[in-house]
Amino acid sequence: MARGILSRLEGTWALERPAPALALVDVERAGGAVDVLAPGGWTRARIEAWLDWADSLPSDVPAVDLPHGLVGEGAPNLLLNGGPGRYARRLAAWGLALGVFEGPGEAEDFATALVGLCMTGLFIPGPTLAFGARAHPEDPARAPHAAIARVEDDAAWRGPSRGALSGALAAVTDAVRRCQGATGACADPNENQALRRAALAARELGAEDDAIVDAIRLGEIDGGSPAAATAAILCSPRGEAALSRRVALAAWTPAPPTVAFEERDAEALKLADIGPVAAICITELSEREIVDAVRVACVALDLEASAKFHGRAEDAYLCRDLRPITLAVAGLHERLVIEGLGFASPAGRARGASIMALTSAAALATSVDLARRVGPYPAYPSRAAEHQSDFRDRLEAIEDLAPGAARDEAAHLLRDAAVALASAGLRNVQVIGRAGRAEMRLLAGGASLDASPWTGPITRAETQDGVAVEVLNEATLRGLAVSGADQDAARAWVLGHRTLDGAPHINPDSLIARGFTDHEISAVETTLGEARSLHDAFSVATLSEGFVRDVLGRPDQARDAAPPLLLAGFSETQIAEAERWILGSRSLIGAPDLADDEQSLFLGGEEIALGDKLGMTLALEAFTCSPLTVDIELPHATSPESAVLLQTAIEQSGVHASRLTRAAAPFGPALDLPPLAAETRSAAPVQPTERIVERIVEINRSRQRLPDRRKGYIQKASVGGHKVYLHTGEYDDGELGEIFIDMHKEGAAFRSLMNNFAIAISIGLQYGVPLDEFVDAFVFTRFEPSGAVTGNDSIRSATSILDYVFRELGVSYLGRADLANLDAGELNADGLSRGGAEEPQPVARYISKGFARGAAPDNLIVLPFANRAAPDLGGAPTGDVCSACGDLAVVRKGESQICLTCGARQSRSQDGGGA
């Protein structure tokens, strides 16, 4: 390998590690199924994630002479539709243009190494933008100061929404807080009549039951209603109860913020969001291989910092002046399992800290070497003393670790880097942090990221024909081999036998004794491969209603009274024991062949206590540059009091940042609201008053189909980096009658769900369901993708695709300016800006020439008079058209009609005087 910035590598990755077996896999894409060359064993979901990443890669390459054999010939250029090869070639070209590499040979070695890391799944790139803002190195403009919003600052939070629905939910909360009775009675709609009235009013306005329940729970605690933060990252001091309460209640908002507990940490998180990010999967790497992989990854991230596009110009300037990069670790929990160390054990935390120390030392050493080659980041002189102090603190923390290969190598690297730091400086203001992005976990094949534990011993694999099946993951199998356990027995304990034959209590013999026939038993057997519970396998849909009614004896009117297994005479204990044997326990806890300490090695994410998660985060954060944010998803049923206590515990643990989110609401009604009791009438006779009330209600239950040739519009936008095309179809009177939602780069399942959802909405509209009902039902729904919206002139952010779609429909068809993120007064009804001169616009901008089939002349224009406020001259509008200027602003003044726009007096014939 050429001498230079990569001279410490002992060869390229393509030579050092065996190349994986490649296979052609058919993957469903927007244009249909395509064959993709991918590493063997990768699932289609992982391959699609890599293809989506490759589709977003920028294509700008500097004008430099590239070696002909860059990244080699054959498979590397075809891997994953050429995405890794294009990514490596672009960065190698930028490295040659910026002087990072000594020559084409070193650039070629770097590109080959980077593609090798991608092929083996060891390098997990972060999201990119195909175009945007980028600051030129010689631009004299300086990066603006990144102000950090603080939790205690009321200006950092939006005020409560003034919409009718939000007001109704606030009334529910107030009804609980104003109640003077017992706490339980105040929160019970059956006891609190004011609460019942408020809840019924909220339900009539379209509030979901779970939203009403949330409002009731918020009324049971002290403090205001939750408000959404204006910034994604906030700073909050530790230990202040009022601020902890505000942070915890933010979990009840669509987009909870990330909260750092020191201003320095909040700034580091902001910079981590601006700079490029990637992760190295360290599950099976030796200490030497970790150093080599980190060096290649850091060079790639630094080159990407030079060529990265940003959504905002100020972010581009910050990236240029500070050059922040974020390298994270993946697969840490899996590595601990392979080595026989528990995630929650002190030995596991110590091992994780030593690996993070080695990763951090290698990344900092690479940044110093880069600075020695091409210079430090522009703002380095103002932070030189801070970096030198940080190096000393890190070296002391490394020396406090238990002796071992990782600790010794980390100390050696950091000592050498500290010596060179005094003269060379640092290329990047920060280098190690968190990945924390869901799409990166897909790219990593579901491996754990940062300090988060793995999801458990089960993973999903695919057969050759694309059928997904559950299996024990590789780390579990290797961990079982280390402990000497029987893998087949462990597999049966976790995944179950998936058959009724030999099962305790519930087996073919016991079922036949209770009236089951071979037909019903065979039907149940076919569902056991995917069933999650025996009640699902023995459902009415599987057994048929006639069998459940005639044989098991459940009458029609009680079809939901009890599951068929209970009707057949099996107890809940018997069902639970049979379910564990047939479907598995989905965990190795309780496995008979494993001792208690061996079972603790395989704890899944939900089985690990919060304190152990915080302990691992603290151990790793000692060697990171930006916080490893503790992400906690609260169950939907979590009470606000529990969330406040949890936030307080997180702050007291000493971690640097946290974020509380809340799981989605379960399907179905969550609140029993009986109708209000009739008011007590006076016993005294009342003389009846005769009234004649006539009310005519006309209901059309037929479907009003759209005309075959219809008008509408197409809105292209991007939500959180995911393109969305919204097509609308209208009736002749302009009412909305159908929608189509196209997300052509999503997976086949999600795309199909969105298409069928749009069909369901369209059918509802054609049967007369008001559009505002759909808008109120689906705005503020929260799921990924979400975030910033680009391409729409009224909406700038959305909490989900559905939130964006129905915001757009509400703004465009209902005039719901409250759903827009911009000032609705800035745009006229015809879409023309109020600012500047009001110029006529060609009518072709608003009317489809193809729809009109040429019937609209080309010289028609849209006059900007429709939204001009007419002066109040005391006249009555007539609705006539001015014969001079064509405006509708004609009013009657005495015996004459005057145009308020041009002042022309209308003719007598138009005045109605006659001849």
Side-chain angles (χ1 to χ4, degrees):
M1 172 172 288
R3 295 180 58 83
I5 197 65
L6 302 177
S7 60
R8 295 191 184 187
L9 292 177
E10 299 174 356
T12 62
W13 280 92
L15 300 176
E16 292 251 341
R17 295 191 67 83
L22 301 179
L24 277 177
V25 182
D26 61 307
V27 179
E28 186 72 26
R29 302 293 288 166
V34 296
D35 289 334
V36 178
L37 187 65
W42 282 21
T43 63
R44 282 170 172 78
R46 187 178 186 182
I47 296 172
E48 286 186 12
W50 275 87
L51 296 180
D52 290 341
W53 166 80
D55 289 341
S56 66
L57 289 176
S59 58
D60 61 314
V61 178
V64 295
D65 293 332
L66 297 177
H68 177 71
L70 194 64
V71 309
E73 301 291 340
N77 283 324
L78 301 176
L79 179 71
L80 300 169
N81 281 356
R86 288 187 284 115
Y87 178 70
R89 284 195 299 272
R90 176 175 180 266
L91 295 184
W94 276 98
L96 284 173
L98 298 173
V100 174
F101 302 124
E102 288 184 341
E106 189 178 14
E108 184 174 350
D109 288 340
F110 161 76
T112 303
L114 184 56
V115 172
L117 287 174
C118 293
M119 289 180 66
T120 52
L122 300 176
F123 180 81
I124 300 105
T128 60
L129 287 178
F131 56 87
R134 185 166 59 199
H136 194 278
E138 297 180 0
D139 189 341
R142 296 292 93 189
H145 175 69
I148 304 298
R150 306 190 68 85
V151 172
E152 61 267 29
D153 185 2
D154 290 336
W157 303 82
R158 297 190 185 98
S161 172
R162 300 179 180 275
L165 183 57
S166 298
L169 293 174
V172 172
T173 301
D174 290 340
V176 179
R177 290 178 178 165
R178 289 197 307 266
C179 178
Q180 301 296 319
T183 302
C186 289
D188 185 358
N190 294 312
E191 300 291 336
N192 186 344
Q193 290 293 315
L195 173 59
R196 190 188 307 180
R197 284 192 293 270
L200 288 171
R203 180 183 279 179
E204 290 177 359
L205 288 175
E208 299 291 340
D209 280 5
D210 62 277
I212 300 175
V213 171
D214 288 346
I216 294 174
R217 289 176 175 172
L218 291 170
E220 295 181 276
I221 67 172
D222 297 329
S225 298
T230 58
I233 299 171
L234 299 176
C235 183
S236 175
R238 300 178 190 270
E240 296 193 15
L243 301 183
S244 300
R245 183 180 300 277
R246 171 175 278 190
V247 171
L249 295 185
W252 271 255
T253 62
T258 297
V259 178
F261 305 114
E262 294 182 11
E263 189 165 348
R264 176 182 176 180
D265 293 327
E267 180 188 12
L269 286 173
K270 280 184 173 291
L271 293 179
D273 286 345
I274 292 171
V277 61
I280 288 294
C281 187
I282 51 88
T283 302
E284 300 183 21
L285 297 181
S286 67
E287 281 74 9
R288 183 67 251 175
E289 289 173 332
I290 289 176
V291 174
D292 291 347
V294 168
R295 183 166 292 272
V296 174
C298 285
V299 173
L301 289 176
D302 182 71
L303 292 173
E304 194 175 347
S306 300
K308 178 180 172 64
F309 289 112
H310 301 268
R312 303 188 308 167
E314 51 265 37
D315 293 344
Y317 284 115
L318 275 173
C319 190
R320 180 202 62 184
D321 292 349
L322 299 177
R323 303 186 64 82
I325 65 174
T326 301
L327 182 64
V329 296
L332 176 62
H333 192 168
E334 289 83 348
R335 184 188 185 101
L336 296 179
V337 172
I338 292 173
E339 295 182 357
L341 298 173
F343 184 90
S345 66
R349 286 195 295 270
R351 179 58 171 157
S354 66
I355 292 175
M356 183 60 79
L358 178 60
T359 304
S360 176
L364 290 170
T366 305
S367 185
V368 172
D369 287 345
L370 284 167
R372 183 159 40 188
R373 170 67 64 84
V374 290
Y377 66 88
Y380 173 77
S382 63
R383 302 194 180 202
E386 179 182 347
H387 285 304
Q388 291 171 2
S389 175
D390 179 66
F391 266 54
R392 290 192 296 268
D393 293 342
R394 287 176 185 273
L395 190 55
E396 292 179 1
I398 290 174
E399 291 174 347
D400 290 339
L401 295 174
R407 179 253 197 191
D408 296 341
E409 180 67 17
H412 172 69
L413 287 171
L414 201 59
R415 286 195 195 97
D416 290 349
V419 173
L421 178 69
S423 59
L426 202 62
R427 182 65 173 165
N428 316 96
V429 68
Q430 57 191 45
V431 293
I432 295 293
R434 69 187 294 265
R437 292 167 170 83
E439 57 267 38
M440 292 184 66
R441 184 158 191 169
L442 283 175
L443 294 173
S448 60
L449 293 178
D450 308 319
S452 301
W454 68 349
T455 56
I458 301 175
T459 189
R460 296 185 73 85
E462 289 182 354
T463 61
Q464 291 183 350
D465 54 356
V467 178
V469 295
E470 290 185 335
V471 297
L472 295 183
N473 57 39
E474 183 64 23
T476 300
L477 295 176
R478 295 179 61 177
L480 290 171
V482 171
S483 63
D486 186 346
Q487 294 184 357
D488 292 335
R491 185 180 292 107
W493 178 266
V494 175
L495 301 175
H497 296 78
R498 299 290 166 171
T499 180
L500 297 174
D501 293 330
H505 309 303
I506 302 176
N507 49 58
D509 293 337
S510 63
L511 292 173
I512 290 174
R514 286 168 170 79
F516 284 75
T517 67
D518 292 340
H519 175 75
E520 283 79 30
I521 295 174
S522 177
V524 171
E525 285 276 3
T526 60
T527 67
L528 294 180
E530 294 294 332
R532 290 304 181 97
S533 71
L534 282 186
H535 287 305
D536 292 340
F538 285 84
S539 65
V540 177
T542 304
L543 300 176
S544 80
E545 295 184 10
F547 175 82
V548 175
R549 180 184 64 248
D550 300 335
V551 178
L552 300 184
R554 183 166 65 182
D556 290 340
Q557 61 271 23
R559 57 183 300 174
D560 295 327
L565 280 177
L566 293 178
L567 291 174
F570 297 105
S571 67
E572 289 287 4
T573 302
Q574 291 174 328
I575 295 173
E577 292 179 3
E579 184 172 273
R580 186 173 59 188
W581 192 92
I582 298 171
L583 303 181
S585 62
R586 309 192 66 77
S587 170
L588 281 168
I589 303 303
D593 293 341
L594 292 177
D596 292 343
D597 57 337
E598 292 175 331
Q599 294 175 15
S600 64
L601 302 180
F602 305 98
L603 292 174
E606 298 300 325
E607 298 165 336
I608 296 177
L610 174 63
D612 295 324
K613 297 178 184 178
L614 297 176
M616 180 62 79
T617 302
L618 280 171
L620 302 188
E621 277 186 334
F623 304 99
T624 61
C625 304
S626 59
L628 303 179
T629 306
V630 178
D631 286 319
I632 302 295
E633 183 180 67
L634 305 172
H636 184 77
T638 301
S639 66
E641 299 96 325
S642 300
V644 173
L645 293 175
L646 178 60
Q647 179 63 30
T648 302
I650 292 175
E651 294 180 15
Q652 293 174 350
S653 70
V655 298
H656 293 268
S658 67
R659 182 172 182 262
L660 295 184
T661 57
R662 193 157 168 257
F667 178 77
L671 187 64
D672 181 20
L673 286 177
L676 290 171
E679 296 182 0
T680 304
R681 298 183 179 273
S682 172
V686 179
Q687 183 68 28
T689 301
E690 182 178 354
R691 291 192 304 165
I692 299 176
V693 179
E694 181 179 6
R695 184 180 182 186
I696 300 175
V697 179
E698 181 179 353
I699 299 177
N700 186 357
R701 297 183 180 272
S702 62
R703 180 178 180 182
Q704 303 298 315
R705 295 188 178 274
L706 287 161
D708 293 337
R709 189 176 182 85
R710 65 203 67 163
K711 58 185 181 298
Y713 70 91
I714 301 174
Q715 173 69 58
K716 173 188 175 183
S718 177
V719 179
H722 294 250
K723 289 183 181 178
V724 183
Y725 293 85
L726 173 64
H727 304 245
T728 67
E730 301 174 1
Y731 292 101
D732 290 337
D733 60 359
E735 290 293 323
L736 180 65
E738 69 178 357
I739 64 171
F740 296 94
I741 304 171
D742 185 12
M743 300 185 67
H744 61 91
K745 289 188 178 180
E746 302 302 319
F750 185 81
R751 190 168 66 249
S752 299
L753 284 175
M754 294 302 294
N755 288 340
N756 286 280
F757 174 80
I759 292 172
I761 296 297
S762 302
I763 293 175
L765 292 171
Q766 294 168 26
Y767 271 101
V769 178
L771 176 60
D772 53 3
E773 294 290 337
F774 288 126
V775 171
D776 290 338
F778 293 110
V779 293
F780 303 116
T781 53
R782 175 163 56 89
F783 57 85
E784 295 296 331
S786 63
V789 176
T790 58
N792 192 302
D793 58 1
S794 297
I795 301 169
R796 289 291 182 261
S797 64
T799 59
S800 66
I801 295 297
L802 296 188
D803 178 54
Y804 160 72
V805 167
F806 287 95
R807 279 177 182 270
E808 163 62 26
L809 295 177
V811 170
S812 299
Y813 286 96
L814 302 178
R816 291 283 300 274
D818 58 306
L819 298 179
N821 303 121
L822 297 177
D823 183 5
E826 294 298 322
L827 297 177
N828 292 328
D830 56 8
L832 301 178
S833 173
R834 293 185 184 277
E838 294 180 337
E839 296 293 338
Q841 299 290 325
V843 75
R845 181 177 177 184
Y846 306 103
I847 297 178
S848 169
K849 185 174 182 179
F851 179 82
R853 288 178 171 167
D858 294 337
N859 60 350
L860 286 180
I861 61 174
V862 176
L863 295 174
F865 301 142
N867 292 286
R868 181 178 297 170
D872 185 9
L873 299 180
T878 66
D880 293 330
V881 178
C882 175
S883 59
C885 67
D887 201 351
L888 294 173
V890 177
V891 299
R892 181 174 296 279
K893 296 284 292 182
E895 297 299 326
S896 302
Q897 290 186 357
I898 306 296
C899 176
L900 297 179
T901 300
C902 64
R905 185 177 181 275
Q906 308 304 298
S907 64
R908 292 290 299 172
S909 60
Q910 188 169 343
D911 291 345

